[in-house]
Amino acid sequence: MTPPGLPPTLPPSLKDTPVAELFPDVFARDPHHHGFTRGGRAAALAALDALDPLAYGRDRSHLDGHVSRLSPYLRHGVLTLAEVRDEALRRVPTPSRAWKYVNELSWHDFFTRVYAEIGAGVWENLQPYKTGLPDSAYSREFPADIDQGTTGAVCIDSWSRDLRETGYLHNHVRMWLASYIIHHRRVWWPGGASWFITHLLDGDPANNNLNWQWVASTWRAFPYLWNRGNLLKYAGDRYCAECPLADSGCPFDATYAALSERLFVGKSAAPGETGWLAPDRLRAVPWQGPLTPQSVPDAVVWVHGDRLSPTNEALAAYAERPAVFVWDDGLLKEWTISAKRQTFIHECVQELPVHVLRGNVTAQVAAFARAHGAGVVATTPSPSPRFAVIVQQLEAEGLTVQLWPEPVFAASLDALDLRVHADYWNQVRASAFGREPEPPKPKTARKKAAETATKKPRAKATE
Ligand SMILES: Cc1cc2nc3c(=O)[nH]c(=O)nc-3n(C[C@H](O)[C@H](O)[C@H](O)COP(=O)(O)OP(=O)(O)OC[C@H]3O[C@@H](n4cnc5c(N)ncnc54)[C@H](O)[C@@H]3O)c2cc1C
C-alpha cells in the first residue's frame, strides 16, 4: 500500500532500508562493511574540527603526519572545498601559514576542472608512457596477489589490506603502491585505478585517474619511482622490520638509477606511441562564475552523490519541496563499489530530507518529478560525463534542469590554463586565499625558458 501523503505512482522510499539489504550480493562478497570513517555531515564537521593546517605544513608527507582525512567528505560534497579552505584559514595566524593545505586543496579543484573538460578521457593515456615501453607492454589483468595482499612484500601487502579494510590510504602510500603496480609489475594503470575506485571512500575518476596517470608518466615527463630509503624516511621501519625480503630480495632496495635501469627501457616514449590529449586542449578553458537560478513553484530536488549534504544548495533553495536521491545501480555495478563505500554513502543519505529510490537515475528522477506534478528538477552541478547525459535525458523528457552551484573555491579573471597545475595556481592563488582574483604574476624570462623546455604537468611534491 502507498504510504499516506505519497503520490500513488511512487514506490515507497528506501531510506530506512538497511544498506546490506539493498545490496546483498556486495555485502556477501565484501567482508568489510564499514570504512575508516562514518558518512554524514555530523561526522564531517567533527573531522573538520580536528584540522591542523600548521602541523600539516610540517609533516604531511609522513605516514603518521597530520593529514586531514577529509577526502571522502570532499568527494561526496558533504563538505565543499571552499568551506574547508575557510576553516583552514580561520585556524592560522596569517593565511600564508595555511599555504600548504590550501595548495593541496587546489589539486582537487584542478583535477576536477580537468575532468569536467575531458570527461571519459581521464581513462585514456593522456600522453604516451615515458618508460620506453609501449602501452601494450602493460598487463590488462590485475594480479590476484596484489588484490589479496599476498605478494610477500610486507609494505605492499599491508597497503593492499588497508585499502580493502578501511577505504583510505595516505597520499604517499597511494603513490608508492601505484608505482609498484605500474612499474614493478607492469600492470596497465586503469586496472589499478579501478581497484582503487572500488575501495577508496574518496575514489573518483578525476583525482584518482589523473594521479595514476602522473605516477605512470602518461601525464608527466617521467615515471614516479621510490626506493627503500624513501620508504624508511616517511614510514620508519614498521614494514621492513617484519619483512622476510628485508635482508635479501627487497625490490625497492636500490638507487633510483639502478631501479630505472632495471624497470624501464628508456626515459622517453616508445617509438610510434601517442597520447589521447592534444597538446593545446587544456590551454584556455573558459572560466565561468556561478550563475544562481531563480526558484520556481513547481520544482523537485534531485540530490546526487557529489553533493550529499544538508547544505546542498538545491535543497536549501527548495526546503519545502520534495527531494529524491537515486542509487545508480548501473554505476555501482560498473565501478564495483565496495560495501564500505556504500555504507558511507548510505550514512550521508540518511541525514538528508530525501525520498530514496534505485535503478536508472533518469527514469527514477523523471517519475519522481511527474508524481509531484513538477516541470523543473533542481540539482547541483557535477563534472561527471554521466551527470551530463542524465541532464540531457531529463530535458529530452520535457523537464527543465536547474543547477544550483556551491561557493567557488577559486575564481579567475581569465580562461584557465589547465595544462599544468602551476599555471592554474598562478591564476587562482589570490582568490583561493579569499582575496579578489588577481591577474597572474608575469613569468620571469628564466622561468619561461625552463617551462618551454619542459612543459609538463607536475603534481604532488611529496617525494
Ligand atoms: C594513485 C593516487 C590515487 C588517488 N586517488 C584519489 C581519489 O580517488 N580521490 C581523492 O580525493 N584523492 C585521490 N588521491 C589524492 C590524495 O592521495 C588524496 O586526496 C589524499 O590522500 C586524501 O587524504 P586526506 O584527505 O587525508 O588528504 P590531505 O593530505 O589532508 O589533503 C587535503 C585534501 O587536499 C586534496 N588533495 C591532497 N592531495 C591531493 C592530490 N594528490 N590530488 C588531488 N587532491 C589532493 C584532497 O581533497 C584532500 O582531502 C590520489 C593520489 C594518488 C597518488
Side-chain angles (χ1 to χ4, degrees), residues 45-62:
L45 291 176
L48 185 58
D49 196 42
L51 179 65
D52 185 347
L54 289 174
Y56 184 85
R58 282 196 302 271
D59 64 11
R60 60 176 282 278
S61 296
H62 292 263

Side-chain angles (χ1 to χ4, degrees), residues 56 60 67-71 74-75 81 101 104-105 107-108 111 168-171 174-175 178 196 200 202-204 207-208 211-212 215 460:
Y56 184 85
R60 60 176 282 278
V67 291
S68 65
R69 293 176 166 245
L70 291 176
S71 52
L74 288 165
R75 159 66 182 93
L81 283 174
Y101 192 72
E104 286 304 319
L105 292 176
W107 281 100
H108 185 110
F111 287 139
Y168 179 82
L169 295 175
H170 185 283
N171 180 61
R174 297 183 200 211
M175 292 162 65
F196 268 28
L200 286 173
D202 63 32
D204 83 300
N207 292 282
N208 184 55
N211 272 297
W212 274 87
V215 173
K460 316 310 316 85

Side-chain angles (χ1 to χ4, degrees), residues 71-72 75-76 108 163 167-168 174 193-209 305-306 335 337 341 345:
S71 52
R75 159 66 182 93
H76 289 290
H108 185 110
L163 175 65
Y168 179 82
R174 297 183 200 211
S194 301
W195 184 52
F196 268 28
I197 286 192
T198 291
H199 292 289
L200 286 173
L201 299 190
D202 63 32
D204 83 300
N207 292 282
N208 184 55
N209 292 24
D306 286 353
W335 287 1
I337 292 296
R341 178 124 181 236
I345 296 171

Side-chain angles (χ1 to χ4, degrees), residues 1-244:
M1 206 180 84
T2 309
L6 204 65
T9 51
L10 206 57
S13 175
L14 301 169
K15 187 169 170 184
D16 295 324
T17 308
V19 64
E21 279 178 35
L22 286 175
F23 305 104
D25 297 355
V26 179
F27 277 71
R29 158 177 100 223
D30 180 355
H32 309 294
H33 297 174
H34 297 272
F36 78 98
T37 193
R38 267 192 71 81
R41 179 83 177 169
L45 291 176
L48 185 58
D49 196 42
L51 179 65
D52 185 347
L54 289 174
Y56 184 85
R58 282 196 302 271
D59 64 11
R60 60 176 282 278
S61 296
H62 292 263
L63 257 49
D64 297 325
H66 290 78
V67 291
S68 65
R69 293 176 166 245
L70 291 176
S71 52
Y73 303 112
L74 288 165
R75 159 66 182 93
H76 289 290
V78 187
L79 299 170
T80 66
L81 283 174
E83 73 178 319
V84 173
R85 179 267 321 279
D86 291 348
E87 187 56 35
L89 293 178
R90 257 195 294 279
R91 285 167 181 258
V92 289
T94 56
S96 62
R97 306 289 300 277
W99 190 90
K100 193 62 219 164
Y101 192 72
V102 175
N103 181 260
E104 286 304 319
L105 292 176
S106 79
W107 281 100
H108 185 110
D109 187 58
F110 173 69
F111 287 139
T112 306
R113 287 183 183 283
V114 172
Y115 182 44
E117 193 57 23
I118 65 175
V122 296
W123 288 100
E124 306 291 333
N125 291 349
L126 298 184
Q127 301 164 358
Y129 289 90
K130 319 308 182 307
T131 53
L133 293 159
D135 181 63
S136 58
Y138 295 86
S139 167
R140 268 41 180 176
E141 203 164 314
F142 193 75
D145 62 341
I146 300 179
D147 180 33
Q148 286 151 24
T150 55
T151 66
V154 167
C155 55
I156 301 296
D157 295 342
S158 307
W159 299 333
S160 165
R161 195 183 55 237
D162 290 348
L163 175 65
R164 286 176 285 110
E165 292 185 0
T166 71
Y168 179 82
L169 295 175
H170 185 283
N171 180 61
H172 229 143
V173 169
R174 297 183 200 211
M175 292 162 65
W176 290 330
L177 189 52
S179 173
Y180 167 74
I181 292 170
I182 303 166
H183 302 310
H184 288 254
R185 302 293 297 269
R186 286 215 183 132
V187 173
W188 191 51
W189 70 260
S194 301
W195 184 52
F196 268 28
I197 286 192
T198 291
H199 292 289
L200 286 173
L201 299 190
D202 63 32
D204 83 300
N207 292 282
N208 184 55
N209 292 24
L210 293 170
N211 272 297
W212 274 87
Q213 300 231 28
W214 179 83
V215 173
S217 72
T218 55
W219 201 32
R220 189 185 188 222
F222 46 91
Y224 171 73
L225 277 184
W226 57 282
N227 66 11
R228 189 165 167 186
N230 184 250
L231 178 68
L232 288 169
K233 178 173 174 191
Y234 292 106
D237 73 347
R238 71 190 80 187
Y239 304 115
C240 303
E242 291 176 19
C243 186

Side-chain angles (χ1 to χ4, degrees), residues 274-287:
T274 53
W276 178 88
L277 191 69
D280 255 12
R281 175 76 164 76
L282 295 170
R283 197 177 61 78
V285 175
W287 155 256

